[in-house]
Structure formats: C-alpha cells, structure tokens
Amino acid sequence: MIWIWSGFILFVLALLALDLGVFNRKAHVIGVREALKWSAFWIALGVLFSGFVYFGYQHHWLGLGLNADGTVRADPIDGVPLQGHSATVKYLTGYVIEKSLSVDNIFVIALIFAYFGVPAMYQHRVLFWGILGALVMRGAMIWLGSELINRYHWIIWVFGGFLIITGIRMLFMSGEHGDPANNPVLKLTRQFFPVTDQYHGQHFVVRAGSNWSHEAATPGEQVKRDDAVERAKPGTLMLTPLMLALILVETTDLIFAVDSIPAIFAITGDPFLVYTSNVFAILGLRSLYFALAGMIDQFRYLKAALAIVLTVVGVKMLTAKWLKEMFGANFNFYLLGLIFLILATGVVASLLANRRDARRGGGGEGPHDPNDPHHKRAGDPVRPVDPAATIGASSADPRTIEASDRDAAANAPKPRQIV
C-alpha cells in the first residue's frame, strides 16, 4: 500500500507544481471565464479518477482493498467488500459530499479577503498555499479518524450523531459569522510576530530594511510609507497582511474539516478512498471560488440542502447495517442518487425563487439598480466581474474594513461560525 500512497501524493504534487510553477507562475487576476475552465478541469479530473478506483480495487493493484492476509477487505462502516463497483460508488459519493461542502468555504474566504483587502492578483497565491496546507492537515485528520474507527468501532456512533447535530444546526440556526478581527488565532499571531502595515508585493514575510520591505503592494503602484517597517529594527522578520490572510484561510479549513471529514467517514472507512475524494474536492476550491464569489448569493437554498445532506449521511452512518439488509449491497449507490437529488433541489429552488423575485420587481422598495452590488436582490442578473470588484482592492488599508466591504459582508448569506 505504501507505493500506491506514494504514487498518488507525487501525482498531486506534480499537479500543484504545474499549477503554480507553469500556468500561474505570474501573479494575475483570475477572471470568471478562466476560473470556469479550471473548475471544469478539476471536476473532470476528479471524476476520471473514479476509473482508476474501479480498476484498482477490482484487481487490487498494490494491495488496494485487501487485508494483510490477502483477503478482500470489508468496509468497516457498512461491511460491504471493497471491490471495484462498491469502491467507485463510495469514492464518487464522498467526492460529491466534499465538493458540496467546500462551497460553504467560499463565504468565509470572501469575508477574509474583504477584511484584509487582499489584492485580486494575489488571491490565487493565498488559496494555493492554503490548499497545500489543507492537504497536510486533512491527511493527518483522516489518518487519525481511520485509526479510531479501526480500534474503537463505537466511534462511528459519535461521528454519526455529530453529523446529525451539525446538519440540524445548519438548517435551523442563523449561522452568524464572527468578525475576523476577533479571531483568537489572528490575535495570537499579532502578539508573537510583528506585522507590516502595508502589502509588499506577493511576499508573505519580509525583513525590515530590505528591498522587499520597500516594495509596492502591486506592480506599478506607488510605494506607500509603512510605519511598522520604519519602526522595526533593521533585519527584523515581519509578517505581511498576506500571511495573516493565509493563516485565517488555513484556520477556516481546519474548522470546516471537522464537519466534512466525519461526513466522508459516514460513507467509507477506507483511508485511501477518504483521502483521495477529499484531495480532488479541495484541489478545485480555488477556481470554484473565483467562479462563484460574485454569484454565490444567488443560491439561497444551497446551505439548507447541505444541511440536509449532512443529516442524511449521519443517519446512514448510524443505520448502515440495517440499510444494507433492506436495500442490498448497492444501497450506497442509492445514497449517491439521493445526495444528487437533494443538492439539485436546492439549486433549482434557488433559481426559481430568484426568478419569482425578479418578476415581482421588489415590491415597493423604491428605485433599484441591479448593477449596484450593495443593493442586490435575488434574481438580479450577475455580471461577470473580477473577485476584486467585490472582495477588496489593492489600495485598501489591510488593517481596516472599508464601509463597502462591511455592507457586502452584511448582505451575504451567513456561513458557519469560524471564530
């Protein structure tokens, strides 16, 4: 098994190297059209990997789906043998769940970028390194979860109950998010590390007095005086606001992983299926963010659909043996279809509600400009704009939230609590 894990990790690292070192070597603003193309690529890659899963588990390449004694391994969650068909269905179900839950991250990422006024051309860089860190953190959490399930089978009941409670809370609670300024991780970071007042190019860290510490926020922009750098002793290592944004993105993913990883363990206890479905889901998060950041408020019922999905998989985790006896070994295939139906219903219901509101014309709220991002109504046409147009500009002071950013954050759908 060590070879199959090593090969997959090297494959992912090669993809990331091509992404940052070739296709996005030069920092630039990611437009909606480019983001949609990359989203299609990552989704296609994730779906195509299911073919590898099928043949790998069907023929048990390098020990996939086998016990140490060479016998076919039964999934510890529902007891279904890990053969080609069952493994593929589990992988695709996990991929759909993780991909859907990752959409919820977009709300919080948009809030973080707005708070720090992250220049649009550097947002991809922050998300790249954020996702790289997420791959490591989730790998450790998946390993721990797999060990717990194999050693203490009762932990399945804990995970299942947790998912049901989380789903119900998402469905019925307001989900008010916290101000990033009050995030304890951010406060702790500022306490132990000096932070510059301004952005200095695409650098996460600079030394006071160096050329980097006197670099403009973006190419061609006038260099602004940085009082924090001027006050610091020459040679002092300082974090930039870009690093603070990265730290909050990493923290956010860690919090969201607490929900998403138990959700995939409700489908399968095989660590390779859990990790690969997670990896392909979050690899496309960057492009998905740039594609949906300007229109995510159009899917008003998607959050409710995600809450129902979490509840369903939690119930499945608690009743897996009974479901297997009732529907047969292919009951996971029916679960995949049910998840697709729930998510599709949420999307379609949102679009129909938007169309209904558009026909009503807002009912007496006075003149309304559909192109005004601070007075947008559901159903208004969405212009293909750069994320920077709604998520802060390069000239923003990273220590403050501009009034327009506060308005946009207040009108956005509420994500799960991050602080």
Side-chain angles (χ1 to χ4, degrees):
M1 284 290 290
I2 186 66
W3 294 110
I4 202 76
W5 279 96
S6 300
F8 179 74
I9 292 173
L10 288 175
F11 173 67
V12 172
L13 291 177
L15 289 175
L16 292 174
L18 285 173
D19 187 347
L20 188 64
V22 178
F23 298 109
N24 293 286
R25 185 175 183 179
K26 184 178 181 181
H28 66 285
V29 177
I30 306 294
V32 173
R33 179 175 298 180
E34 181 182 356
L36 289 174
K37 290 180 179 179
W38 275 109
S39 294
F41 169 77
W42 290 116
I43 292 173
L45 191 63
V47 173
L48 287 174
F49 188 77
S50 65
F52 173 87
V53 170
Y54 177 83
F55 290 106
Y57 279 83
Q58 185 68 20
H59 301 289
H60 304 295
W61 293 342
L62 300 175
L64 279 178
L66 294 180
N67 292 311
D69 59 3
T71 58
V72 177
R73 184 169 182 249
D75 195 304
I77 301 299
D78 52 27
V80 175
L82 290 171
Q83 300 280 12
H85 179 268
S86 62
T88 303
V89 171
K90 288 173 179 291
Y91 165 79
L92 287 174
T93 305
Y95 175 75
V96 171
I97 291 175
E98 294 299 318
K99 194 70 174 178
S100 304
L101 291 175
S102 70
V103 174
D104 209 16
N105 290 30
I106 294 176
F107 295 111
V108 182
I109 292 173
L111 178 66
I112 293 171
F113 284 172
Y115 174 73
F116 288 103
V118 178
M121 65 188 307
Y122 301 145
Q123 291 175 6
H124 180 276
R125 178 176 171 82
V126 173
L127 292 178
F128 175 90
W129 290 107
I131 287 174
L132 189 61
L135 294 177
V136 176
M137 288 191 299
R138 292 194 179 213
M141 295 176 70
I142 288 169
W143 173 82
L144 179 60
S146 179
E147 289 294 312
L148 288 174
I149 289 175
N150 288 328
R151 296 187 182 188
Y152 311 104
H153 193 71
W154 53 265
I155 204 72
I156 292 175
W157 294 86
V158 177
F159 283 176
F162 175 78
L163 288 172
I164 293 173
I165 293 172
T166 301
I168 293 174
R169 289 183 62 188
M170 280 184 66
L171 192 60
F172 293 106
M173 295 183 69
S174 62
E176 288 288 338
H177 57 76
D179 186 344
N182 297 324
N183 187 289
V185 175
L186 184 59
K187 289 182 177 180
L188 193 65
T189 302
R190 289 185 180 276
Q191 183 176 350
F192 286 96
F193 299 95
V195 180
T196 65
D197 291 341
Q198 305 293 336
Y199 286 97
H200 296 280
Q202 61 180 3
H203 306 301
F204 292 111
V205 179
V206 298
R207 286 192 180 276
S210 67
N211 292 333
W212 284 5
S213 68
H214 295 94
E215 190 173 327
T218 57
E221 184 177 337
Q222 184 178 0
V223 178
K224 297 181 180 178
R225 177 183 172 84
D226 193 319
D227 292 335
V229 171
E230 298 300 327
R231 290 192 302 266
K233 182 179 178 181
T236 301
L237 202 63
M238 305 183 71
L239 306 184
T240 69
L242 205 63
M243 175 60 85
L244 298 184
L246 174 60
I247 290 173
L248 278 194
V249 168
E250 293 282 14
T251 305
T252 297
D253 182 78
L254 180 62
I255 295 172
F256 277 97
V258 174
D259 289 344
S260 65
I261 289 180
I264 183 62
F265 272 120
I267 306 301
T268 178
D270 184 80
F272 187 75
L273 293 177
V274 173
Y275 187 64
T276 53
S277 59
N278 253 269
V279 167
F280 281 110
I282 64 177
L283 277 177
L285 179 60
R286 292 160 300 157
S287 53
L288 193 64
Y289 167 77
F290 290 108
L292 298 181
M295 63 180 73
I296 195 67
D297 60 328
Q298 298 296 301
F299 303 103
R300 65 177 77 177
Y301 296 123
L302 183 58
K303 191 174 183 67
L306 293 175
I308 295 173
V309 167
L310 280 179
T311 306
V312 167
V313 297
V315 172
K316 182 266 180 186
M317 198 172 196
L318 299 179
T319 61
K321 291 185 177 180
W322 179 78
L323 291 173
K324 180 182 176 183
E325 293 176 359
M326 184 174 182
F327 297 104
N330 292 326
F331 76 95
N332 282 295
F333 182 75
Y334 306 141
L335 177 65
L336 176 60
L338 178 60
I339 291 172
F340 267 120
L341 179 62
I342 294 171
L343 295 174
T345 300
V347 172
V348 172
S350 299
L351 297 178
L352 291 177
N354 294 341
R355 182 176 298 180
R356 178 199 61 201
D357 291 350
R359 285 199 299 265
R360 289 178 178 176
E365 294 183 12
H368 169 59
D369 179 7
N371 292 325
D372 185 351
H374 307 304
H375 298 86
K376 180 177 285 297
R377 295 175 185 157
D380 286 342
V382 179
R383 295 177 298 164
V385 297
D386 295 328
T390 57
I391 310 176
S394 61
S395 59
D397 186 339
R399 297 172 298 173
T400 62
I401 308 176
E402 298 295 339
S404 60
D405 292 333
R406 289 197 301 268
D407 293 341
N411 292 327
K414 300 298 187 290
R416 283 174 278 171
Q417 186 78 21
I418 66 169
V419 294

